[in-house]
Each structure stands twice: as C-alpha cells, then as structure tokens.
C-alpha cells in the first residue's frame, strides 16, 4: 500500500491523500488550500495526479478544506464515484455551489472595481462546475463496508460536523485509517467520535496538537464575550463557519436567553448558506446530539437574513443586536461588509469564536493588527476584538490522545496530517511518550510505501 500526501501535510488546509493498493487508486478528501497566499496559489496548479486515473474519491466530510477542489477535479476529467455518508452530499452541495457562486461574484466585483492584479480576474471554478459534482456522489452509511476496486472501505462517526467520518481502508497489503477531522468529546451539537479501528497504519489529524481548549463552560465564556457590548447598546459581530459553528452559536444564545443569562436582543443569521445548513441539521436528527424541538426553537429565535438588500439594511440598524455571519476566519462573505459598517465604533465588538488559520484576516486581528484590507482598501478598526475559543469542532490535544488510546491496539505507524508544523510536532512527541509506535509528521508531496512486514507486526522503515 502506498500513500501520497498531496495536501493537508504541514498545513490545516488542502487535505488530499492518495491511497494505492492492489491496482486501485482512491483519493481520500479533495480539499482547497486556504489562508496564506503561498497556499492559495496551489489551488491553481494542475492536480498532481491525472483526475481520470483515479478510481474514486472518499470524502470524510463537506468542509471546503476537505471537499472544495472537487468541482475542479470533476471539470478536469474525474469520472469516478465520490463516496460519502448520507448527510455529506447535501452539505457539500450547499458549500460547493456557494463557493463557486462567490468566486464568480468576487471575480466580477474585482473586474468592475479594478483592484485585481489579474486582468481579467477569474474564478477557480464556477457554480456550474460545482453542480456537476452532485452527479458523482454515492452515499454509504456508517459501519457498513463496501468495495472500491480491490479495497474495502468503511465509514466511522467522527463527530465534528454533520456527516463527518473517519475512514477505514482494507487492502491486499494491510489496513489504513484516516481520522478525518475529529470532533469534541462534549460538543453541544455533535456526538463524540467513535474509537479508531484496529489498523496497521493511521493518518491522524493534528490541528490542535499543541493546545487544550478552555475547561470552563463555553456558555459562560460566550456570555462574558458578548454581554458587556450588549449592555452598552453595541453591536456584536460573530463571524462564523456556516456548518456547525453558526448552528451551535444559535443554540448557545437560545440557552443563555432562556436562562436569563443574557438580555434578549435581536439575533440575525446573515448567511444564506448557514440558513440552508440549519435546515439540514433538522432533517438529520439521528446524526447529531440535540433534541429536534430545542434545535427548532433556537433557530426560530433568530431572524434569517436571505437577500443582499436585507444584509445592507442591517448596516443601518443600531444596537443592541447580534449578527452571526460568514466567514469564520474573515476570508470573505457578508461579515466583511458589517465589519466596515460597525468597525469604527468602540462600543461594538468582534468576537472571534474559532480557529484562525495563518494568513487570514482573523489571524491578523489576533496578533493585534487593527488596519486590515477589505475589498481592496485598508480599513481602520476601533471596535473591540475579543478572541474566544468557543465551540471548536476540533478535538484538542488531550482529546486526540484519548481517541488514540481507545484503539483496540496501537497502529504500527502514524502519520500526523492536517496540522501546522508546531502543533503536529508537539503531538508527535506526546504520542511517542505514551506508546511504542513510530510517529511521523507527514511531508507534503511525499509518497510512502507501507510495508507488508509492518502489517505483520514487524516495523520496517521505508519510503518518506
């Protein structure tokens, strides 16, 4: 069995792992690179493997850093199946088509305003490209194995977001698991991830490999983050990922309002994509941990903002109010227009509720920058910027280690992926302190041949 790291190695984006065994080529995940310009430029490079030579894609979940390159892959010749759990195609359809639409809109806006260095600016892929992806999806339930070429594949629940899975692959040369993104053990919205299977080799995420999430009550932290601003009549901006984070924030605000911990103020969900995702969460009650009735109440308390005109009208309102809008790292979306509208008033607050990847506007603000570029122009911000690690969908260091401890037996070899260099290396050391297993931080572009002797329990150093 061979694994080639085509992305998601040394970075938290662009997850793409090519697995080859017995003549079958499966691509596990097909994500976009995000964050630093150096990474984003890789999206425009030709795919390292001829798309028509792939026998299939196995998708762990719908987030764009795992699924976002699929429209380009299909456009450029991939004709095989894309395997996913039942909720994932529905989520991916929303995210991918929205991404294509936004790229077309951004390119058009850049061309009209003339701030792009490229003439003309063009999208990486279009909404039409994204629509074609839906034709290739083949859903498979959790825990039921299926055959792809000469490989047997099984999905295991990973928590994280609706439909997220770890992947178990059994081939002629041995067994491999890909963790995907692992969720929390005490997530408000999702059930915890299932234990890892008994395999020879493991590709394991390391996003929070050097961090522990705060142990305090996340509802209390949310109250502390937004309460003072609401008390002085200000506007709270909550940039949020459309999948899981936005829905969890609405659920948390609902619980705080219900307990009287926060004054009831208008709450706006200004993300058509997050609105569509909220509907999906209600459609798949068996795939998350919240009672359908309570989830419905939480969503009904918020005012859903659908149109651009409704979004613009929000910028003319006064506080107190809360606006939940995409994108979570301030990489685009309607939150940027709100930031320009409300960012000059010190009574307002921007609450950064989640992970901010290097190179994003959110990361700039976390390091203290208060002059950021939005839509080609620099904007000076006066509002309070509050970092608050709220409702992360990723397991932290101790949760990652606890997940690994639950394996029936340790793998012979572990490759740490989907993490920046420092978190990945810290997690590597922690794992090696706990168990006798060879642990490596995956190298971008490396191809590793996984030895049959390793599968038999006799480790041999080969490949990358």
């Amino acid at each position: 069995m061979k694994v080639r790291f085509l992305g998601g190695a040394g970075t938290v984006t662009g997850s793409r792992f090519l697995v080859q065994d017995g003549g079958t080529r499966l691509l596990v995940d097909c994500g976009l690179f995000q964050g630093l310009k150096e990474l984003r430029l890789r999206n425009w490079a030709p795919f390292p493997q001829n798309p028509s030579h792939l026998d299939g894609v196995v998708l762990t979940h719908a987030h764009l850093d795992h699924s976002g390159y699929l429209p380009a892959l299909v456009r450029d010749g991939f004709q095989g199946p894309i395997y996913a759990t039942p909720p994932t195609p529905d989520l991916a359809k929303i995210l991918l088509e929205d991404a294509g639409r936004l790229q077309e809109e951004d390119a058009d806006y850049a061309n009209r305003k003339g701030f792009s260095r490229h003439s003309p600016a063009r999208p990486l892929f279009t909404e039409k490209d994204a629509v074609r992806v839906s034709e290739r999806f083949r859903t498979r339930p959790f825990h039921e194995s299926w055959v792809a070429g000469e490989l047997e594949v099984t999905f295991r629940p990973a928590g994280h977001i609706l439909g997220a899975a770890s992947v178990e692959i059994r081939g002629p040369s041995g067994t491999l698991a890909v963790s995907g993104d692992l969720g929390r053990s005490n997530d408000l919205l999702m059930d915890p991830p299932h234990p890892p299977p008994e395999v020879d080799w493991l590709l394991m995420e390391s996003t929070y490999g050097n961090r522990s999430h705060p142990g305090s009550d996340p509802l209390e932290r949310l109250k502390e983050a937004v309460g003072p601003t609401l008390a002085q009549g200000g506007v709270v901006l909550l940039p949020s990922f459309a999948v899981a984070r936005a829905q969890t924030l609405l659920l948390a605000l609902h619980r705080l309002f219900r307990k009287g911990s926060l004054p009831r103020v208008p709450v706006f969900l200004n993300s058509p994509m997050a609105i569509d995702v909220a509907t999906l969460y209600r459609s798949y009650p068996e795939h998350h941990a919240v009672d359908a009735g309570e989830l419905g109440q939480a969503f009904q308390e918020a005012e859903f903002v659908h149109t651009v005109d409704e979004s613009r009208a929000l910028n003319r309102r006064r506080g107190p109010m809360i606006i939940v809008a995409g994108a979570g790292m301030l990489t685009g979306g309607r939150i940027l227009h709100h930031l320009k509208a409300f960012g000059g008033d010190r009574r307002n607050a921007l609450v950064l509720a989640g992970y901010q990847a290097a190179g994003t506007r959110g990361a700039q603000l976390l390091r203290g920058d208060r002059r950021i570029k939005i839509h080609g122009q620099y904007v000076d911000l006066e509002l309070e910027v509050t970092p608050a690690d709220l409702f992360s969908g990723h397991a932290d260091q101790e949760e990652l280690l606890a997940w690994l401890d639950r394996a029936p037996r340790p793998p012979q070899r572990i490759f740490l992926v989907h993490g920046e260099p420092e978190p990945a290396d810290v997690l590597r050391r922690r794992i090696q302190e706990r168990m006798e297993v060879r642990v490596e931080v995956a190298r971008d572009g490396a191809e590793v041949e996984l030895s049959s002797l390793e599968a038999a329990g006799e480790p041999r150093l080969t490949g990358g």
Side-chain angles (χ1 to χ4, degrees), residues 158-173:
H160 188 54
I161 67 167
L162 193 68
S166 299
V167 179
E168 178 183 350
I169 301 173
R170 298 186 174 274
S173 302

PDB file of all heavy atoms in Angstrom, residues 158-173:
ATOM      1  N   ALA A 158     -17.132  10.512  13.211  1.00  0.00           N
ATOM      2  CA  ALA A 158     -16.007  11.310  13.703  1.00  0.00           C
ATOM      3  C   ALA A 158     -16.445  12.524  14.503  1.00  0.00           C
ATOM      4  O   ALA A 158     -15.588  13.307  14.952  1.00  0.00           O
ATOM      5  CB  ALA A 158     -15.140  11.769  12.525  1.00  0.00           C
ATOM      6  N   GLY A 159     -17.769  12.712  14.713  1.00  0.00           N
ATOM      7  CA  GLY A 159     -18.213  13.938  15.367  1.00  0.00           C
ATOM      8  C   GLY A 159     -17.994  15.106  14.420  1.00  0.00           C
ATOM      9  O   GLY A 159     -18.340  15.048  13.241  1.00  0.00           O
ATOM     10  N   HIS A 160     -17.445  16.199  14.941  1.00  0.00           N
ATOM     11  CA  HIS A 160     -17.004  17.358  14.159  1.00  0.00           C
ATOM     12  C   HIS A 160     -18.155  18.123  13.525  1.00  0.00           C
ATOM     13  O   HIS A 160     -18.512  19.194  14.001  1.00  0.00           O
ATOM     14  CB  HIS A 160     -15.991  16.928  13.113  1.00  0.00           C
ATOM     15  CG  HIS A 160     -15.333  18.053  12.392  1.00  0.00           C
ATOM     16  ND1 HIS A 160     -14.682  19.072  13.049  1.00  0.00           N
ATOM     17  CD2 HIS A 160     -15.226  18.336  11.061  1.00  0.00           C
ATOM     18  CE1 HIS A 160     -14.208  19.927  12.165  1.00  0.00           C
ATOM     19  NE2 HIS A 160     -14.530  19.509  10.946  1.00  0.00           N
ATOM     20  N   ILE A 161     -18.745  17.623  12.435  1.00  0.00           N
ATOM     21  CA  ILE A 161     -19.903  18.257  11.813  1.00  0.00           C
ATOM     22  C   ILE A 161     -20.848  17.162  11.331  1.00  0.00           C
ATOM     23  O   ILE A 161     -20.519  15.974  11.360  1.00  0.00           O
ATOM     24  CB  ILE A 161     -19.521  19.178  10.631  1.00  0.00           C
ATOM     25  CG1 ILE A 161     -18.964  18.350   9.460  1.00  0.00           C
ATOM     26  CG2 ILE A 161     -18.564  20.264  11.060  1.00  0.00           C
ATOM     27  CD1 ILE A 161     -18.845  19.135   8.149  1.00  0.00           C
ATOM     28  N   LEU A 162     -21.986  17.576  10.845  1.00  0.00           N
ATOM     29  CA  LEU A 162     -22.984  16.650  10.331  1.00  0.00           C
ATOM     30  C   LEU A 162     -22.376  15.772   9.236  1.00  0.00           C
ATOM     31  O   LEU A 162     -21.855  16.261   8.238  1.00  0.00           O
ATOM     32  CB  LEU A 162     -24.163  17.446   9.770  1.00  0.00           C
ATOM     33  CG  LEU A 162     -25.458  16.685   9.461  1.00  0.00           C
ATOM     34  CD1 LEU A 162     -26.110  16.190  10.738  1.00  0.00           C
ATOM     35  CD2 LEU A 162     -26.418  17.587   8.692  1.00  0.00           C
ATOM     36  N   GLY A 163     -22.425  14.453   9.442  1.00  0.00           N
ATOM     37  CA  GLY A 163     -21.954  13.511   8.441  1.00  0.00           C
ATOM     38  C   GLY A 163     -20.469  13.215   8.460  1.00  0.00           C
ATOM     39  O   GLY A 163     -19.997  12.387   7.678  1.00  0.00           O
ATOM     40  N   ALA A 164     -19.698  13.858   9.328  1.00  0.00           N
ATOM     41  CA  ALA A 164     -18.244  13.678   9.316  1.00  0.00           C
ATOM     42  C   ALA A 164     -17.858  12.258   9.692  1.00  0.00           C
ATOM     43  O   ALA A 164     -18.449  11.653  10.587  1.00  0.00           O
ATOM     44  CB  ALA A 164     -17.574  14.671  10.257  1.00  0.00           C
ATOM     45  N   ALA A 165     -16.826  11.749   9.013  1.00  0.00           N
ATOM     46  CA  ALA A 165     -16.443  10.355   9.194  1.00  0.00           C
ATOM     47  C   ALA A 165     -14.935  10.202   9.248  1.00  0.00           C
ATOM     48  O   ALA A 165     -14.186  10.978   8.656  1.00  0.00           O
ATOM     49  CB  ALA A 165     -16.982   9.504   8.034  1.00  0.00           C
ATOM     50  N   SER A 166     -14.506   9.182   9.980  1.00  0.00           N
ATOM     51  CA  SER A 166     -13.183   8.598   9.796  1.00  0.00           C
ATOM     52  C   SER A 166     -13.332   7.485   8.768  1.00  0.00           C
ATOM     53  O   SER A 166     -14.424   6.941   8.575  1.00  0.00           O
ATOM     54  CB  SER A 166     -12.636   8.045  11.107  1.00  0.00           C
ATOM     55  OG  SER A 166     -12.495   9.068  12.074  1.00  0.00           O
ATOM     56  N   VAL A 167     -12.228   7.138   8.106  1.00  0.00           N
ATOM     57  CA  VAL A 167     -12.275   6.163   7.018  1.00  0.00           C
ATOM     58  C   VAL A 167     -11.347   4.995   7.341  1.00  0.00           C
ATOM     59  O   VAL A 167     -10.183   5.206   7.704  1.00  0.00           O
ATOM     60  CB  VAL A 167     -11.853   6.802   5.683  1.00  0.00           C
ATOM     61  CG1 VAL A 167     -11.876   5.769   4.566  1.00  0.00           C
ATOM     62  CG2 VAL A 167     -12.762   7.974   5.338  1.00  0.00           C
ATOM     63  N   GLU A 168     -11.862   3.788   7.202  1.00  0.00           N
ATOM     64  CA  GLU A 168     -11.076   2.568   7.360  1.00  0.00           C
ATOM     65  C   GLU A 168     -10.957   1.902   5.993  1.00  0.00           C
ATOM     66  O   GLU A 168     -11.962   1.672   5.321  1.00  0.00           O
ATOM     67  CB  GLU A 168     -11.775   1.638   8.350  1.00  0.00           C
ATOM     68  CG  GLU A 168     -11.096   0.309   8.575  1.00  0.00           C
ATOM     69  CD  GLU A 168     -11.910  -0.583   9.510  1.00  0.00           C
ATOM     70  OE1 GLU A 168     -12.884  -0.092  10.126  1.00  0.00           O
ATOM     71  OE2 GLU A 168     -11.570  -1.772   9.604  1.00  0.00           O
ATOM     72  N   ILE A 169      -9.713   1.630   5.567  1.00  0.00           N
ATOM     73  CA  ILE A 169      -9.448   1.041   4.259  1.00  0.00           C
ATOM     74  C   ILE A 169      -8.677  -0.260   4.443  1.00  0.00           C
ATOM     75  O   ILE A 169      -7.612  -0.266   5.071  1.00  0.00           O
ATOM     76  CB  ILE A 169      -8.645   2.004   3.362  1.00  0.00           C
ATOM     77  CG1 ILE A 169      -9.419   3.312   3.158  1.00  0.00           C
ATOM     78  CG2 ILE A 169      -8.329   1.358   2.012  1.00  0.00           C
ATOM     79  CD1 ILE A 169      -8.643   4.377   2.423  1.00  0.00           C
ATOM     80  N   ARG A 170      -9.223  -1.331   3.883  1.00  0.00           N
ATOM     81  CA  ARG A 170      -8.561  -2.638   3.965  1.00  0.00           C
ATOM     82  C   ARG A 170      -8.192  -3.085   2.552  1.00  0.00           C
ATOM     83  O   ARG A 170      -9.047  -3.185   1.680  1.00  0.00           O
ATOM     84  CB  ARG A 170      -9.475  -3.661   4.638  1.00  0.00           C
ATOM     85  CG  ARG A 170      -9.821  -3.275   6.069  1.00  0.00           C
ATOM     86  CD  ARG A 170     -10.621  -4.322   6.841  1.00  0.00           C
ATOM     87  NE  ARG A 170     -10.756  -3.899   8.226  1.00  0.00           N
ATOM     88  CZ  ARG A 170      -9.863  -4.149   9.176  1.00  0.00           C
ATOM     89  NH1 ARG A 170      -8.787  -4.867   8.879  1.00  0.00           N
ATOM     90  NH2 ARG A 170     -10.046  -3.720  10.413  1.00  0.00           N
ATOM     91  N   GLY A 171      -6.899  -3.307   2.343  1.00  0.00           N
ATOM     92  CA  GLY A 171      -6.421  -3.698   1.030  1.00  0.00           C
ATOM     93  C   GLY A 171      -5.565  -4.932   1.086  1.00  0.00           C
ATOM     94  O   GLY A 171      -5.305  -5.480   2.169  1.00  0.00           O
ATOM     95  N   PRO A 172      -5.078  -5.399  -0.052  1.00  0.00           N
ATOM     96  CA  PRO A 172      -4.236  -6.592  -0.098  1.00  0.00           C
ATOM     97  C   PRO A 172      -2.979  -6.491   0.762  1.00  0.00           C
ATOM     98  O   PRO A 172      -2.488  -7.493   1.281  1.00  0.00           O
ATOM     99  CB  PRO A 172      -3.869  -6.714  -1.583  1.00  0.00           C
ATOM    100  CG  PRO A 172      -4.943  -5.974  -2.304  1.00  0.00           C
ATOM    101  CD  PRO A 172      -5.355  -4.863  -1.400  1.00  0.00           C
ATOM    102  N   SER A 173      -2.452  -5.266   0.940  1.00  0.00           N
ATOM    103  CA  SER A 173      -1.189  -5.089   1.666  1.00  0.00           C
ATOM    104  C   SER A 173      -1.357  -4.795   3.143  1.00  0.00           C
ATOM    105  O   SER A 173      -0.381  -4.813   3.894  1.00  0.00           O
ATOM    106  CB  SER A 173      -0.380  -3.951   1.031  1.00  0.00           C
ATOM    107  OG  SER A 173      -0.125  -4.211  -0.324  1.00  0.00           O
TER     108      SER A 173
END
